[in-house]
Amino acid sequence: MANLAPEPEFQQAVNEITVTLEPFLAKHPEYRKALEVVQIPERILQFRVTWEKDDGSLAVNRGYRVQFNSALGPYKGGLRLHPTVNLSILKFLGFEQIFKNALTGLMMGGGKGGSDFDPKGKTDNEIRKFCYAFMQELSRHIGADTDVPAGDIGTGGREIGFMFGAYKKYRNEFVGVLTGKGANWGGSFIRPEATGYGLVYYVTEMLRDLDSTDWKNKRVLISGAGNVAQYAALKVIQLGGIVLSLSDSTGTLLASDPQGFFAADIADIAQIKLERKSLTAFSGAGKYTWHEGKRPWTLVKEADVALPSATQNEVSGEEAKALLKAGVRYIAEGSNMGCTQEAIDVFEDSRKSITSLQETKGICYYAPGKAANCGGVAVSGLEMAQNSQRLKWTPEEVDAKLKEIMINCYNTCRHTAIEYAEGGVVPSLVAGANIAGFVKVANAMKDQGDWW
Ligand code: GLU
């Protein structure tokens, strides 16, 4: 084994895949070679980004793009702007993205990029100057048929706009090189909503499958207050569920009203987040309680569904046990690798512990991010398709396609788990997602001579 710098998040993602692939690899040992090859990015770009602050002084950041795998199409994946960004985090995100994109059924490879730039406390002017400086270098390495970045934490519609404008100036081409564009200049309807809506559509299938039920009156814990959490919450409310919480890195907001969060309040929170402020700036007029420094998972006695939608490793083993104790039967990640391995083990053990579908009480059915949150990148894929056609589909058309993709994704995970993964009456969606995504990518890589 080569002596590599420690990359804990990336190792965690690789370990999860390796362990869950084992039943498949035992039957098809030739694929072990593919697993060895797929772990190494095709290319990593690292660059310097210097930009000018409003006071005229210089600021410098690290810029990255991990072009991980292009077996299924151009590299595709978001750009994260957050002070914690480093190569371990971008390699884990890029690695997950390969299999996630495969699960959408669309033709997209996997990549991820970003910078350790912190958007908090920056003016719009500074954000624009950073985005232009970042794209000055990145524009040499991407392209509509090469690598198509999009948003992620810290990169929303405003940042994509600045980056698109910069790309156009540096390369003199108006092409679909980024997704998440503005609706009036090449963006797709439903792209902002897609990750959150898709997450809820995926869980709709889990609810139907395990308990023949739906969202009516389900009590739902959501973490995060960004794009994914906001639209997941709105869709849950629309389908009759009760949103109990939203959170950010400073704490959790719990609803005091039995109706849960109100859609109008979520719109106010969206505005606060657009201004890069913390949730403490939301007054809530007495309808909510604030829990400083806390995550939602241990704050309520009873809930039905948990949707971690903030960032990686936001549910610990202990918190997973608290969720089980509160009666949570469904957990699906809106964030990438939202659960620690210890938390996944708690949920998967609960699933394995039952021997008949009649006694599923006490289990928590777990869906990993690469399946449950693939709706975002799926609509990015639809945005690429619309850009190639130079056409724009209606919101209804895009939403219907998103729904179909999420239903297919759930069925693929479920059926693959039943076919390959070790037993249990309730299938392991994490094993199913990993095996289905991996086999699709590995087969394409074999056809293209990447392994033999
Ligand atoms: N950053 C999102 C993800 O984690 C979206 C990527 C994209 O649309 O390319 O899947």
Side-chain angles (χ1 to χ4, degrees):
M1 184 73 187
N3 187 13
L4 299 172
E7 295 178 327
E9 292 84 3
F10 178 54
Q11 273 316 320
Q12 185 185 337
V14 171
N15 289 345
E16 183 207 289
I17 289 257
T18 307
V19 170
T20 52
L21 282 183
E22 196 43 46
F24 169 80
L25 294 175
K27 285 187 204 149
H28 303 277
E30 68 279 14
Y31 281 85
R32 288 190 196 278
K33 256 291 162 270
L35 180 58
E36 198 184 324
V37 174
V38 81
Q39 289 177 36
I40 301 174
E42 290 175 17
R43 189 176 303 106
I44 297 180
L45 304 154
Q46 284 184 260
F47 49 95
R48 182 176 70 198
V49 186
T50 50
W51 54 279
E52 194 188 315
K53 293 195 204 165
D54 284 349
D55 65 7
S57 65
L58 174 145
V60 62
N61 287 102
R62 291 165 179 79
Y64 306 89
R65 185 73 180 166
V66 180
Q67 298 184 332
F68 220 124
N69 194 294
S70 61
L72 295 182
Y75 307 107
K76 182 84 197 86
L79 295 169
R80 180 171 291 192
L81 302 182
H82 195 271
T84 56
V85 161
N86 58 35
L87 257 193
S88 170
I89 288 186
L90 294 181
K91 280 177 70 180
F92 118 64
L93 288 164
F95 189 63
E96 293 271 299
Q97 197 83 44
I98 304 170
F99 309 108
K100 180 195 313 200
N101 294 3
L103 288 169
T104 65
L106 303 172
M107 303 318 296
M108 298 182 286
K112 202 87 186 190
S115 172
D116 57 2
F117 171 78
D118 186 359
K120 278 214 186 79
K122 304 292 186 298
T123 64
D124 279 359
N125 197 35
E126 288 174 328
I127 300 268
R128 179 175 47 73
K129 284 191 281 188
F130 170 81
C131 290
Y132 266 69
F134 180 76
M135 195 46 91
Q136 188 165 18
E137 178 58 33
L138 190 66
S139 60
R140 302 161 188 262
H141 310 288
I142 60 176
D145 294 318
T146 310
D147 183 353
V148 183
D152 195 80
I153 295 172
T155 309
R158 169 181 43 209
E159 291 74 20
I160 291 293
F162 294 148
M163 289 183 194
F164 185 79
Y167 181 91
K168 205 162 44 103
K169 287 185 183 69
Y170 298 133
R171 298 284 295 263
N172 195 25
E173 0 174 275
F174 190 116
V175 291
V177 65
L178 293 165
T179 59
K181 299 186 288 298
N184 55 350
W185 46 274
S188 175
F189 284 122
I190 310 291
R191 179 61 190 87
E193 297 88 344
T195 315
Y197 280 15
L199 174 67
V200 173
Y201 296 154
Y202 192 96
V203 178
T204 302
E205 299 308 296
M206 296 167 74
L207 289 160
R208 192 183 44 70
D209 217 11
L210 192 66
D211 286 323
S212 309
T213 185
D214 59 25
W215 286 96
K216 274 258 148 8
N217 296 324
K218 294 290 180 300
R219 296 156 301 181
V220 186
L221 287 166
I222 300 180
S223 66
N227 164 272
V228 181
Q230 289 164 24
Y231 287 109
L234 289 171
K235 188 51 93 175
V236 166
I237 294 169
Q238 199 188 91
L239 297 177
I242 301 160
V243 174
L244 301 178
S245 65
L246 288 176
S247 70
D248 70 7
S249 59
T250 63
T252 291
L253 205 54
L254 275 191
S256 329
D257 194 288
Q259 274 195 52
F261 274 70
F262 294 87
D265 292 334
I266 294 172
D268 289 348
I269 289 171
Q271 187 52 36
I272 285 168
K273 286 291 151 187
L274 197 62
E275 291 162 17
R276 298 180 289 277
K277 289 188 190 142
S278 110
L279 269 181
T280 47
F282 174 71
S283 79
K287 289 176 279 179
Y288 304 92
T289 55
W290 177 247
H291 301 262
E292 181 77 21
K294 292 268 180 3
R295 297 195 283 220
W297 319 128
T298 55
L299 297 179
V300 300
K301 288 211 168 60
E302 285 185 348
D304 304 299
V305 182
L307 304 175
S309 303
T311 192
Q312 68 272 1
N313 290 330
E314 53 166 322
V315 185
S316 68
E318 286 310 307
E319 287 167 322
K321 285 182 199 154
L323 288 173
L324 262 183
K325 205 162 151 229
V328 169
R329 269 177 85 67
Y330 302 88
I331 176 157
E333 294 171 348
S335 48
N336 292 311
M337 206 165 75
C339 292
T340 58
Q341 189 57 53
E342 294 73 33
I344 298 177
D345 291 344
V346 169
F347 302 130
E348 286 288 279
D349 286 347
S350 80
R351 181 188 62 76
K352 284 182 209 155
S353 69
I354 60 150
T355 49
S356 118
L357 267 181
Q358 265 62 57
E359 35 168 297
T360 63
K361 231 172 134 233
I363 83 153
C364 187
Y365 197 17
Y366 163 69
K370 65 171 77 64
N373 75 31
C374 80
V377 75
V379 174
S380 277
L382 301 179
E383 183 169 326
M384 290 166 73
Q386 293 168 77
N387 291 166
S388 299
Q389 290 181 303
R390 299 191 192 281
L391 286 176
K392 196 170 161 80
W393 304 338
T394 65
E396 293 73 26
E397 276 176 281
V398 179
D399 195 36
K401 284 188 167 58
L402 169 63
K403 217 174 260 177
E404 192 186 315
I405 288 170
M406 298 315 296
I407 294 172
N408 286 342
C409 177
Y410 175 77
N411 289 330
T412 302
C413 296
R414 184 176 182 277
H415 292 139
T416 308
I418 291 167
E419 189 172 348
Y420 293 109
E422 40 72 329
V425 260
V426 177
S428 167
L429 295 177
V430 58
N434 286 340
I435 297 169
F438 170 78
V439 171
K440 184 167 180 188
V441 174
N443 286 344
M445 288 172 69
K446 189 165 190 208
D447 292 344
Q448 295 171 31
D450 288 330
W451 65 280
W452 54 90

